[in-house]
Amino acid sequence: MRASPHASLLIAAFLLLCAATAHASRIGDLADSPIWAQALRFFTFQDPSVRYALIGSMLLGVSCGLLGGFIVVRKMALMGDALSHAVLPGVALGFLWNMSKDPVAIFVGATLAGLLGTVLVGVIQQTTRLKEDTALGMVLASFFAVGICAVTMIQRLPTGNKSGIDKFLFGQAAAIGANDVTLMAVVTALAIGTVWVLYKEFLVTSFDPAFARVCGFPVKWLHHALMLLLAFAVVIALQAVGVVLVSAMLITPAAAAYLLTDRLHRMLLLAAAFGLGAGATGCFFSFLGNNLPTGPCMVLGATAVFALAFLFGPRHGVFAKWWRRRSQSGRVGRENTLKALYHVLESRDFKGEGVSLRELAERRHMTVEASSREVQALRRNQLATLTEDGNMVHLTPEGWTRACVIVRNHRLWELYLTNEAHIASDHVHEDAEKIEHVLGEETVLQLERRLESPTKDPHGRPIPSLADLRRGAAVDRRDELVGYGRRI
Amino acid sequence: MGFLVAAACGLVGNYLILRRMALVGDAISHSVLPGMAIAFLLTGSRGSVAMFLGALAAGVVTTVIIETIHKRTRVKQDSAIGIAFTSLFALGVVLINIFAAKVDLDQECVLYGEIAFIPLEPIVSVAGFPLGPPTVLRMAVVAAVTVSLVLVFYKELLVSSFDSGLAVSLGINATLVHYALMSWLSVVVVSAFESVGAILVIAMLILPGATASLLACRLPLVHGLAVIHAALSSVLGMHLATWLNCSVAGAMVVAATGLFTLAWVFGPERGLSRRWLRTTANEPESGAPPAAASR
């Protein structure tokens, strides 16, 4: 249905009169104007159908996101999928009730079918040895098949062809009318209200059903209540997203939120916000392009949010993890170089000028080039300096302190293992090698107190004391310290 | 045709049920769509080879995405499946709508074929001359290859499905078997696509195996029963479809569901009625006649 601007005005006027019967196959098909004009029209909300579609999409995004949070943490994500497919026969039955797209009849029929589906999944699981996924898949497929049969039968009826019931499969935001928006608002309010009132109960039953039962919560009833709300949300989302993709609106925003936070209430808020955003962007893009269906656009919007959270999430994101690992391994590498420099200095009793690259390379059992690279890394972090000819390494005060800290950690830990844990002194090195990088200041002080301020490690080498550490930091007394270099 | 689809799907589906991956089949059946769309866009033809390769790639990509999300984040497998297939499916629908609407990619077949408006025609015409249409021949080849694959790699599939640890210790590459199964699943799904539609494929994957596993314990017997179930449901489905004047694929699944319900209620060992009979027989005061149970 491609119309000229004039015709689109007529359509808009017509929609004002009876918005519930709006029948453009896509929102974007209402007009054939350039993109910027379309965007302008979208943001000025001239067309009631756009307004309804946008409000409807946002409402369904909120309710689906909110409830989706629970099914994601309960590991029931595919229950949403099964539920959304299982409502189809209910939709067809609701349609057959009085042969029209009466929102209430369809709503009741779909909810009943969805609930029947969830109950059947439970029954199949309890009475046969089939697993949950098989039961879900069977209910999903068989309900959907019944629905398909019913829908095709309706469409072959003389009146059924114009019914628009096939739009429930892929959704059609353009067909959302005032009645539908009211229904959506009621359901969203109901969902938010229930979650608000029963937040504690839902929280406990989602994470620890056994504990909830001990607390005296009606776990079964809470489960059914959640299923009921879920069925409501799925049914209102059908109009815009369609049966096939509703589960995405349940799962994807919630999963994205799950990646970003650890607290359930924050996760629910985020999920609702993501759902809202996905609904709005999906609506917008499907309005822009003139051949884009709304439901898939919304789903892709939600997927984009998930992808961003997956890649750039501050704590669990792939990028953040990679960055942490990288900076961690960089730090460990630098600390190992510092330690080697310390050992070289120690081996000649902290006498002489700096450390040559050759000495360092021998100590680390690597080539001169490799050790030169390591020293460059130290230099970048202002832990050491190199002489002009690039041969002698001098630690900066900061570098000296860090080297002392690492060696101190290492030797204290070795001593702790031999004295307190009674491990043979020739077995403790490996362990200390790992833990020296992660011991915090607190722990080290505790260790020192516990070992009564030791001066020698189990191999008889001196443990750098706190005074040694400070000596590095005190720049004016630098001259007293032999070895870490005077020329900075 | 219906029988071929159901038999091939049923055999593969058995393993999905055993591996508790029934819903991965669902996921793959949805996500082959963008693969087919991209294959069409690249080659510009509806040749079955390009479509096959596209679908195969999409199937493998789905499996990889699911594994990645599942392993690299704390999102659980079920959510990962849900995210992967809905995203890919949405992508496919959008791709088709943007690029392929004007050209002759059979949108009906790929998109609405799944709503089962179209499936009636190929199947009905098939009933007239069984060896005619290329889709039937293709499905026959796929079904035959499925049977022979199951026969040849029976041991590998069996061991890796029940005990992947044992499989590895026997020198079977469980990961390879997993991906091979998934790839073959995509092939079966895409060839079944045209006749039953993406969503009903999952019914064909799960129902025969589920029914058979209610009736038997040994895997060979389960395979046999699954094939019989496929045959029965396709014949019954055809009759049901002509009787009710509705989609054939839908009717086939309804018939398959009916058979499952029969097995569930009247199964010889673990059926509901037999169970009920046992419990009533064990109760001392009840003298319920057996006839009442089998009504």
Side-chain angles (χ1 to χ4, degrees):
Chain A
M1 187 167 145
R2 195 67 60 81
S4 70
H6 290 292
S8 84
L9 277 179
L10 278 179
I11 291 176
F14 175 71
L15 289 175
L16 269 174
L17 291 173
C18 50
T21 55
H23 274 304
S25 65
R26 280 144 197 134
I27 318 176
D29 286 1
L30 288 173
D32 208 5
S33 42
I35 285 180
W36 59 269
Q38 287 281 77
L40 193 70
R41 278 181 37 162
F42 183 82
F43 284 115
T44 49
F45 308 117
Q46 292 166 0
D47 302 316
S49 71
V50 172
R51 215 153 49 211
Y52 289 139
L54 183 65
I55 296 174
S57 315
M58 284 159 71
L59 283 175
L60 83 88
V62 169
S63 52
C64 283
L66 193 65
L67 296 171
F70 286 111
I71 64 168
V72 166
V73 295
R74 284 172 171 231
K75 299 180 205 164
M76 301 195 320
L78 293 169
M79 189 63 122
D81 193 29
L83 191 59
S84 62
H85 286 79
V87 296
L88 191 65
V91 171
L93 273 186
F95 183 83
L96 284 174
W97 184 255
N98 55 3
M99 295 312 283
S100 73
K101 252 177 74 180
D102 178 12
V104 177
I106 288 181
F107 184 79
V108 171
T111 310
L112 285 180
L115 288 181
L116 183 65
T118 53
V119 170
L120 262 185
V121 170
V123 172
I124 290 180
Q125 252 178 288
Q126 277 161 20
T127 57
T128 67
R129 49 179 189 154
L130 296 172
K131 304 297 178 302
E132 190 191 6
D133 61 333
T134 313
L136 276 176
M138 271 185 337
V139 167
L140 179 157
S142 48
F143 271 63
F144 194 70
V146 174
I148 291 274
C149 279
V151 167
T152 43
M153 272 168 72
I154 288 177
Q155 284 205 320
R156 283 166 200 171
L157 291 175
T159 53
N161 213 3
K162 296 188 199 79
S163 66
I165 193 166
D166 56 311
K167 295 295 184 293
F168 277 101
L169 287 168
F170 283 99
Q172 183 192 51
I176 296 179
N179 294 346
D180 300 313
V181 169
T182 323
L183 193 64
M184 284 177 168
V186 169
V187 168
T188 311
L190 187 69
I192 294 176
T194 316
V195 170
W196 188 276
V197 173
L198 295 178
Y199 177 72
K200 192 182 68 189
E201 282 79 359
F202 277 138
L203 173 75
V204 178
T205 42
S206 297
F207 287 102
D208 196 341
F211 178 65
R213 213 165 291 131
V214 172
C215 289
F217 293 147
V219 177
K220 231 178 191 158
W221 286 109
L222 285 171
H223 176 80
H224 290 311
L226 188 64
M227 285 295 125
L228 186 68
L229 283 178
L230 211 55
F232 284 164
V234 164
V235 173
I236 61 163
L238 285 185
Q239 278 266 318
V241 193
V243 169
V244 186
L245 291 174
V246 165
S247 60
M249 291 306 289
L250 287 171
I251 302 171
T252 315
Y258 188 52
L259 291 180
L260 294 180
T261 174
D262 286 338
R263 313 284 309 182
L264 185 66
H265 60 96
R266 257 179 244 148
M267 179 186 156
L268 293 181
L269 283 179
L270 269 180
F274 288 160
L276 191 143
T281 41
C283 221
F284 176 64
F285 279 110
S286 92
F287 186 71
L288 273 192
N290 66 16
N291 206 5
L292 292 175
T294 320
C297 281
M298 280 188 207
V299 173
L300 287 183
T303 308
V305 172
F306 179 80
L308 286 180
F310 176 65
L311 292 177
F312 301 111
R315 288 180 51 200
H316 302 285
V318 168
F319 190 73
K321 270 187 197 159
W322 173 80
W323 182 253
R324 263 204 304 275
R325 201 173 308 137
R326 211 191 108 111
S327 57
Q328 184 116 333
S329 66
R331 187 173 64 87
V332 169
R334 287 198 299 277
E335 286 176 354
N336 283 336
T337 322
L338 285 175
K339 194 173 60 180
L341 287 171
Y342 184 94
H343 285 153
V344 173
L345 291 173
E346 186 184 38
S347 68
R348 49 179 148 88
D349 239 356
F350 301 106
K351 295 208 172 60
E353 289 257 322
V355 180
S356 72
L357 279 181
R358 178 170 293 282
E359 279 176 299
L360 178 64
E362 269 168 21
R363 186 83 215 174
R364 297 274 277 148
H365 302 292
M366 48 170 54
T367 60
V368 176
E369 286 80 35
S371 64
S372 156
R373 266 200 302 280
E374 289 196 328
V375 171
Q376 291 298 342
L378 288 186
R379 214 165 61 115
R380 272 197 300 280
N381 285 278
Q382 270 132 33
L383 296 172
T385 54
L386 263 179
T387 48
E388 295 291 314
D389 56 352
N391 226 352
M392 291 299 269
V393 188
H394 300 279
L395 289 172
T396 64
E398 167 74 15
W400 166 258
T401 312
R402 292 280 291 277
C404 284
V405 166
I406 289 299
V407 173
R408 181 177 148 82
N409 287 354
H410 183 97
R411 294 186 179 166
L412 274 176
W413 188 255
E414 282 187 344
L415 193 66
Y416 172 73
L417 285 185
T418 41
N419 286 8
E420 306 282 322
H422 305 293
I423 295 175
S425 61
D426 52 345
H427 279 69
V428 292
H429 177 75
E430 295 298 315
D431 201 23
E433 195 72 356
K434 280 180 205 132
I435 208 153
E436 65 191 11
H437 304 288
V438 291
L439 280 181
E441 209 168 320
E442 284 282 309
T443 326
V444 173
L445 289 178
Q446 225 174 337
L447 274 179
E448 191 164 47
R449 262 199 305 281
R450 182 130 185 199
L451 298 166
E452 289 154 357
S453 304
T455 52
K456 300 261 181 201
D457 76 350
H459 310 296
R461 282 172 308 192
I463 298 175
S465 67
L466 280 176
D468 289 327
L469 266 71
R470 290 203 197 97
R471 204 175 309 162
V475 182
D476 55 321
R477 295 180 60 200
R478 207 190 311 153
D479 289 345
E480 284 180 19
L481 226 163
V482 205
Y484 79 72
R486 263 159 287 218
R487 287 176 308 218
I488 294 173
Chain B
M1 178 74 177
F3 165 67
L4 292 174
V5 171
C9 287
L11 284 178
V12 180
N14 277 332
Y15 291 103
L16 293 184
I17 292 175
L18 288 178
R19 288 161 169 252
R20 302 191 188 180
M21 295 191 331
L23 291 166
V24 176
D26 182 29
I28 287 186
S29 67
H30 281 80
S31 53
V32 292
L33 186 61
M36 291 170 81
I38 290 172
F40 172 76
L41 288 179
L42 290 182
T43 61
S45 75
R46 279 189 63 224
S48 40
V49 177
M51 289 285 189
F52 254 59
L53 290 179
L56 195 64
V60 174
V61 165
T62 317
T63 323
V64 171
I65 290 180
I66 293 174
E67 292 285 309
T68 311
I69 295 182
H70 172 50
K71 294 243 170 77
R72 310 271 315 244
T73 71
R74 52 190 190 144
V75 171
K76 307 294 181 307
Q77 198 186 8
D78 58 340
S79 305
I81 294 176
I83 292 168
F85 88 81
T86 50
S87 310
L88 285 171
F89 187 71
L91 184 69
V93 174
V94 168
L95 276 181
I96 288 179
N97 268 286
I98 293 179
F99 297 111
K102 294 174 197 89
V103 279
D104 79 325
L105 171 60
D106 201 341
Q107 204 180 348
E108 315 281 274
C109 164
V110 179
L111 193 56
Y112 295 110
E114 99 143 43
I115 326 173
F117 295 133
I118 293 306
L120 187 65
E121 280 79 43
I123 294 183
V124 164
S125 67
V126 166
F129 27 89
L131 276 178
T135 45
V136 178
L137 283 180
R138 197 171 75 201
M139 199 61 229
V141 171
V142 168
V145 175
T146 309
V147 172
S148 45
L149 279 179
V150 167
L151 285 179
V152 172
F153 295 109
Y154 179 73
K155 191 186 74 185
E156 281 80 359
L157 283 168
L158 175 74
V159 177
S160 67
S161 297
F162 280 105
D163 191 341
S164 58
L166 177 65
V168 172
S169 67
L170 284 177
I172 298 168
N173 189 340
T175 328
L176 189 68
V177 172
H178 175 77
Y179 278 101
L181 186 64
M182 288 299 115
S183 325
W184 190 247
L185 177 64
S186 341
V187 171
V188 171
V189 164
V190 76
S191 38
F193 209 75
E194 272 180 276
S195 54
V196 281
I199 295 169
L200 299 182
V201 165
I202 182 178
M204 301 298 183
L205 284 173
I206 298 180
L207 279 169
T211 313
S213 70
L214 284 184
L215 297 176
C217 287
R218 311 285 310 172
L219 196 54
L221 199 55
V222 170
H223 280 323
L225 283 173
V227 173
I228 294 174
H229 176 275
L232 276 179
S233 58
S234 48
V235 171
L236 287 177
M238 281 297 292
H239 285 290
L240 195 65
T242 23
W243 178 45
L244 288 176
N245 186 24
C246 67
S247 134
V248 174
M252 270 172 67
V253 177
V254 173
T257 314
L259 289 176
F260 171 77
T261 318
L262 283 181
W264 185 21
V265 177
F266 300 114
E269 290 278 318
R270 292 173 289 269
L272 281 185
S273 64
R274 189 57 69 95
R275 253 186 225 199
W276 183 74
L277 204 62
R278 266 203 298 270
T279 41
T280 42
N282 286 347
E283 281 167 20
E285 72 269 38
S286 96
S294 58
R295 96 191 102 104

